[in-house]
């Protein structure tokens, strides 16, 4: 059974005076979870999340074999996780990698608080394409919150004028 959840998250993770928030969407599959089993989080990128990635496939097999839980988190500004009412330039300032990584850190901490059966669980992040880059950078910035990352097809080499990514994001938004 797939559970759809919403987690209240700060619009600006780095400004304690800004009390604006939004709801980050996630999907969860606890079908194979045994208390203390690992948490596999498929990190969403520039798309709307859907249940398929936590219903079958390699991550599903790992969760089954290791008695773990699977979560699919949705990235701010994509799918139903819309932090601002419109896409004006002022509102787009919150669409950046630092905010997205901080969202994920907040998410992990809160999932462990909300679900006592995973309070002491290890976290493995999974990402593809842009979200593959995210999970790699997450381990560098927040090494205390995840034990590992599985990154697929990630553009890890920084590029100043990444026109191809701009095209992908433009189509998604």
């Amino acid at each position: 059974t797939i559970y759809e959840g919403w987690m209240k998250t700060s619009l600006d993770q780095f400004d304690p005076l800004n009390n604006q928030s939004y709801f980050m969407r996630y999907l969860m599959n606890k079908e194979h979870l045994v208390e203390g089993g690992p948490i596999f989080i498929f990190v969403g990128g520039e798309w709307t999340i859907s249940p398929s990635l936590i219903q079958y496939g390699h991550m599903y097999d790992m969760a089954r074999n290791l008695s773990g839980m699977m979560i699919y988190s949705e990235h701010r500004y994509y799918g139903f996780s819309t932090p601002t009412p419109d896409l004006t330039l002022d509102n787009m300032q919150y669409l950046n990698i630092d905010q997205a990584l901080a969202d994920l850190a907040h998410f992990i901490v809160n999932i462990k608080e909300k679900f006592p059966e995973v309070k002491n669980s290890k976290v493995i992040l999974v990402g593809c394409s842009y979200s593959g880059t995210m999970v790699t950078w997450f381990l560098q910035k927040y090494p205390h919150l995840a034990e590992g990352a599985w990154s697929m097809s990630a553009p890890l080499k920084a590029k100043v004028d990444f026109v191809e990514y701009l095209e992908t994001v433009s189509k998604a938004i």
Side-chain angles (χ1 to χ4, degrees), residues 88-132:
T88 60
L89 189 55
D90 282 345
N91 286 334
M92 293 303 284
Q93 70 179 309
Y94 303 107
L95 176 58
N96 63 64
I97 189 67
D98 291 320
Q99 294 288 350
L101 293 176
D103 284 349
L104 187 54
H106 170 79
F107 181 77
I108 291 169
V109 168
N110 281 273
I111 283 294
K112 287 185 166 200
E113 290 173 357
K114 184 174 182 175
F115 298 97
E117 63 268 37
V118 295
K119 179 182 178 186
N120 298 312
S121 294
K122 306 256 187 235
V123 174
I124 303 297
L125 301 172
V126 180
C128 180
S129 187
Y130 161 62
S131 71

Side-chain angles (χ1 to χ4, degrees), residues 7 32 38 44 60 69 75 79 83 154 157 165-166 171:
M7 184 173 293
H32 304 295
Y60 179 88
M69 173 169 77
H75 193 294
K157 185 178 177 185
Y165 183 66
L166 177 60
K171 287 177 187 174

Side-chain angles (χ1 to χ4, degrees), residues 49-70:
I49 62 172
S50 65
S52 61
L53 288 174
I54 59 173
Q55 289 178 306
Y56 53 84
H58 190 61
M59 189 171 75
Y60 179 88
D61 293 341
M62 289 189 305
R64 182 184 63 228
N65 293 338
L66 299 171
S67 303
M69 173 169 77
M70 295 168 290

